[in-house]
Amino acid sequence: MYYGYFNGTIAPTDQLAVGITDLSLLRGYGLFDYFLTYNGRPFQWDWYWERFQNSATRMHLPLPIGKQETYAVLMDLMERSVEAGSPADMAFRFVMTGGYAPDSISIVRPNLLILAEEIHPTPQIQYEQGIAVILDEYVREMAEVKSTDYKRVILMAQAIRSAGASDLLYQKGGEISELSRSNFFIVKGNQLITPNRNILHGITRRTILQLAQGDFDVQERPVLLSELYDAEEAFTTSSTKRVLPITQIGELTIGNGHAGPKAKFLLERFDELVKNW
Amino acid sequence: MYYGYFNGTIAPTDQLAVGITDLSLLRGYGLFDYFLTYNGRPFQWDWYWERFQNSATRMHLPLPIGKQETYAVLMDLMERSVEAGSPADMAFRFVMTGGYAPDSISIVRPNLLILAEEIHPTPQIQYEQGIAVILDEYVREMAEVKSTDYKRVILMAQAIRSAGASDLLYQKGGEISELSRSNFFIVKGNQLITPNRNILHGITRRTILQLAQGDFDVQERPVLLSELYDAEEAFTTSSTKRVLPITQIGELTIGNGHAGPKAKFLLERFDELVKNW
């Protein structure tokens, strides 16, 4: 069993509920964030908090509690969840909405949910074989804000399944941005290249870019679809995917079609970092 | 007090709540619809139901109940709400979400809410003076589906207020589409002109187009910003706004800056229709 926090109250997550005038329910007005703990410590907490704060500011939602108080909530939820039999490491999901709107449209006071959740790890076989993605001509609105707007990937779920793929790779006018919930990288020789616009600035992306310094020629810049043809490797990064090879993009096989050595190298670096977190 | 329906259960709306794994809360995946009753009868029920059904199909959400059963729910909610002291005429809001997602992303079974609500009528002075709107370079994603995606207007609330305006008028590349929650019309002589793409096909819009046949040269077609300069009148239509004059768009005064006779004529026609509904 996991515990959650809702506007100051702590309870088992399956007992938490949101009233029906909430602006995320009525108007899609919400933001979120998501991260894991390693060795019982929230991973990259400073960076996640900074991002959550920025998202809130961009969406004109005043944060009801500060950083230290929030950290204390995390510790409390973790302790209660572990006492209730959950594993020591877990995920945390923040959801902040426009709050209850008696007139169905105006922000009065945001609702803040902080939920402890079970981690759903990416299956090991996906790291060994790589995943397939399909291209989608789309760019997320306000991509740099972690809003709750993920309509597109849910809408495309059937298309993804029919193609035997795992996710979407967004592109617009031939420029690649990101996957539906994770960032995108390609490798060419010693170059590690990742889009720098129309993306969510992922914390795992940032961590990987830091870990890659020294060993790679790191390039954050617009990436064109045409560059996929001579990419040797491609991979995606997120909290739960870590560094996950992409071996197929639409009809195109990336490199030799196998998970490549550079992605493996970076995954090992990442796993080492979190082991000692 | 008003009553609502949630997945088969009927209760006072302030007792209804949605669990925290709902896909509208976590991922913005929901659609809605909204209409009024006149003389205790849902206005244009057939058209609203048809639209709700189309929105649901477009979002891959199977409707859990059929048209007749839904109508019976409306009658039940109306009766209970009136017995509890609410006025005979009310609004109904449908909200259908992607439902509870244990994995936070996949649709299992939609959640359907049907809520009776108090009508918030548009102040009479706005009909007399007309409203001001500001231009916003934006087009709603899947505009023809009545999804719950209304982030933009909430995000722009401060900008609207600072400009002393009531709403946004969306345009993209010089082509006008709609206001944030209502349709847009201009009048030039005998021509009644309204955008035909990137819009929600409003039921009030449809009603007005029907009422205008015979008296106007009705044109449903792309409308350019440049056409505002010689428009004699502009107005917006929605369930609650009916036919509401727009006298100011950004820096531009429409016509002579007063609510015009054609909008008034159409409002009278509309009010006559609903009086006898």
Side-chain angles (χ1 to χ4, degrees):
Chain A
M1 186 168 70
Y2 288 91
Y3 278 78
Y5 164 102
F6 182 34
N7 291 348
T9 302
I10 287 179
T13 50
D14 57 8
Q15 290 174 25
L16 293 174
V18 172
I20 47 90
T21 60
D22 183 87
L23 280 176
S24 70
L25 188 70
L26 299 184
R27 302 294 185 176
Y29 206 79
L31 59 93
F32 87 112
D33 222 311
Y34 181 86
F35 51 91
L36 308 185
T37 70
Y38 289 104
N39 311 310
R41 287 185 59 208
F43 183 61
Q44 304 284 34
W45 163 244
D46 292 336
W47 292 357
Y48 279 104
W49 176 261
E50 186 193 9
R51 181 169 76 181
F52 186 62
Q53 217 174 9
N54 286 341
S55 294
T57 303
R58 289 286 302 273
M59 287 187 72
H60 309 307
L61 295 178
L63 281 171
I65 60 175
K67 185 175 178 181
Q68 285 186 329
E69 199 184 338
T70 305
Y71 195 82
V73 169
L74 298 183
M75 293 302 113
D76 188 352
L77 296 178
M78 200 183 318
E79 200 177 316
R80 290 181 199 236
S81 301
V82 170
E83 265 173 30
S86 298
D89 279 316
M90 57 194 70
F92 283 112
R93 183 185 302 272
F94 285 25
V95 180
M96 188 153 79
T97 78
Y100 297 130
D103 70 350
S104 89
I105 197 74
S106 309
I107 296 171
V108 180
R109 198 175 55 243
N111 282 328
L112 176 62
L113 274 162
I114 303 175
L115 307 169
E117 294 183 2
E118 190 186 352
I119 297 172
H120 298 285
T122 304
Q124 183 54 30
I125 192 162
Q126 295 195 342
Y127 292 95
E128 288 156 18
Q129 301 187 341
I131 61 164
V133 299
I134 56 174
L135 287 168
D136 187 24
E137 176 119 25
Y138 183 74
V139 66
R140 290 203 306 125
E141 256 178 52
M142 299 176 72
E144 64 289 359
V145 173
K146 205 167 168 75
S147 85
T148 53
D149 184 2
Y150 287 79
K151 278 194 304 298
R152 183 68 176 194
V153 64
I154 299 179
L155 201 64
M156 295 288 284
Q158 291 172 2
I160 296 169
R161 261 199 306 277
S162 322
S166 302
D167 206 341
L168 301 172
L169 177 60
Y170 295 140
Q171 64 90 13
K172 190 97 181 180
E175 184 180 330
I176 296 170
S177 53
E178 58 188 1
L179 279 74
S180 74
R181 286 156 290 154
S182 58
N183 290 115
F184 182 72
F185 289 79
I186 54 175
V187 178
K188 291 187 198 190
N190 197 40
Q191 301 169 78
L192 181 65
I193 308 164
T194 189
N196 66 339
R197 55 185 190 185
N198 297 320
I199 63 165
L200 181 78
H201 287 273
I203 303 298
T204 307
R205 173 183 179 277
R206 186 170 164 183
T207 305
I208 291 299
L209 288 174
Q210 208 173 58
L211 290 172
Q213 297 297 340
D215 291 299
F216 288 88
D217 165 17
V218 172
Q219 301 174 22
E220 291 183 73
R221 60 166 176 80
V223 177
L224 301 180
L225 272 182
S226 54
E227 296 184 67
L228 296 179
Y229 289 94
D230 60 349
E232 288 150 22
E233 298 183 33
F235 62 84
T236 185
T237 59
S238 80
S239 295
T240 51
K241 297 187 174 78
R242 292 133 72 215
V243 179
L244 181 63
I246 298 170
T247 46
Q248 186 81 27
I249 299 177
E251 301 296 302
L252 183 73
T253 299
I254 300 299
N256 61 12
H258 296 290
K262 304 283 170 64
K264 196 174 170 212
F265 171 80
L266 288 166
L267 177 60
E268 284 167 1
R269 281 277 183 98
F270 183 81
D271 285 347
E272 210 171 295
L273 176 72
V274 302
K275 211 177 92 186
N276 302 306
W277 189 256
Chain B
M1 186 168 68
Y2 289 90
Y3 279 77
Y5 164 102
F6 183 34
N7 292 347
T9 302
I10 287 180
T13 49
D14 58 6
Q15 290 173 26
L16 293 173
V18 172
I20 46 93
T21 60
D22 184 87
L23 279 175
S24 70
L25 187 70
L26 299 185
R27 303 294 185 176
Y29 206 80
L31 58 94
F32 87 111
D33 221 311
Y34 181 87
F35 51 91
L36 307 185
T37 69
Y38 289 103
N39 311 310
R41 286 184 59 209
F43 184 61
Q44 304 284 34
W45 163 244
D46 291 335
W47 292 357
Y48 280 104
W49 175 260
E50 185 193 10
R51 181 170 76 179
F52 186 62
Q53 217 173 12
N54 286 341
S55 293
T57 303
R58 289 285 303 273
M59 286 187 74
H60 309 307
L61 295 178
L63 281 170
I65 61 176
K67 185 175 178 181
Q68 285 186 329
E69 198 183 340
T70 305
Y71 195 83
V73 169
L74 298 183
M75 293 303 113
D76 188 350
L77 296 180
M78 201 181 320
E79 200 177 316
R80 291 180 197 237
S81 300
V82 170
E83 266 173 30
S86 298
D89 280 315
M90 58 195 71
F92 283 112
R93 183 185 301 273
F94 286 24
V95 180
M96 188 153 77
T97 78
Y100 296 130
D103 70 350
S104 90
I105 197 76
S106 310
I107 296 170
V108 179
R109 197 175 57 243
N111 282 328
L112 176 62
L113 274 162
I114 302 175
L115 308 170
E117 293 182 4
E118 189 186 353
I119 298 173
H120 298 284
T122 304
Q124 183 55 29
I125 192 163
Q126 296 196 340
Y127 291 96
E128 289 156 18
Q129 301 189 339
I131 60 164
V133 299
I134 56 173
L135 286 168
D136 187 24
E137 175 119 26
Y138 183 73
V139 64
R140 290 203 306 124
E141 256 177 53
M142 299 176 71
E144 65 288 0
V145 172
K146 204 168 168 75
S147 84
T148 53
D149 185 0
Y150 288 78
K151 277 193 304 299
R152 184 68 176 194
V153 62
I154 299 179
L155 201 62
M156 296 288 285
Q158 292 173 3
I160 296 169
R161 261 198 308 276
S162 321
S166 301
D167 206 343
L168 301 172
L169 176 61
Y170 295 139
Q171 64 91 12
K172 189 96 180 182
E175 183 180 330
I176 296 170
S177 53
E178 57 189 0
L179 278 73
S180 75
R181 285 155 291 153
S182 59
N183 289 116
F184 182 72
F185 289 77
I186 55 175
V187 177
K188 291 186 199 192
N190 197 40
Q191 302 168 77
L192 181 66
I193 308 166
T194 188
N196 65 340
R197 56 185 187 184
N198 297 321
I199 63 164
L200 181 79
H201 288 272
I203 303 299
T204 308
R205 174 183 180 277
R206 186 170 164 183
T207 304
I208 291 298
L209 288 174
Q210 209 171 60
L211 291 172
Q213 296 297 340
D215 291 298
F216 289 88
D217 166 17
V218 172
Q219 301 174 23
E220 293 182 74
R221 60 165 175 80
V223 177
L224 301 180
L225 273 183
S226 53
E227 297 184 67
L228 297 179
Y229 289 92
D230 60 349
E232 289 150 21
E233 297 184 34
F235 62 84
T236 185
T237 59
S238 79
S239 294
T240 50
K241 298 187 172 79
R242 292 134 71 217
V243 179
L244 181 62
I246 298 170
T247 45
Q248 186 83 26
I249 299 177
E251 300 297 303
L252 183 73
T253 300
I254 300 299
N256 62 10
H258 297 289
K262 305 281 171 65
K264 196 174 172 213
F265 171 81
L266 288 166
L267 176 61
E268 283 166 4
R269 281 279 183 97
F270 184 81
D271 285 346
E272 209 172 295
L273 175 73
V274 302
K275 210 177 94 185
N276 304 306
W277 189 256

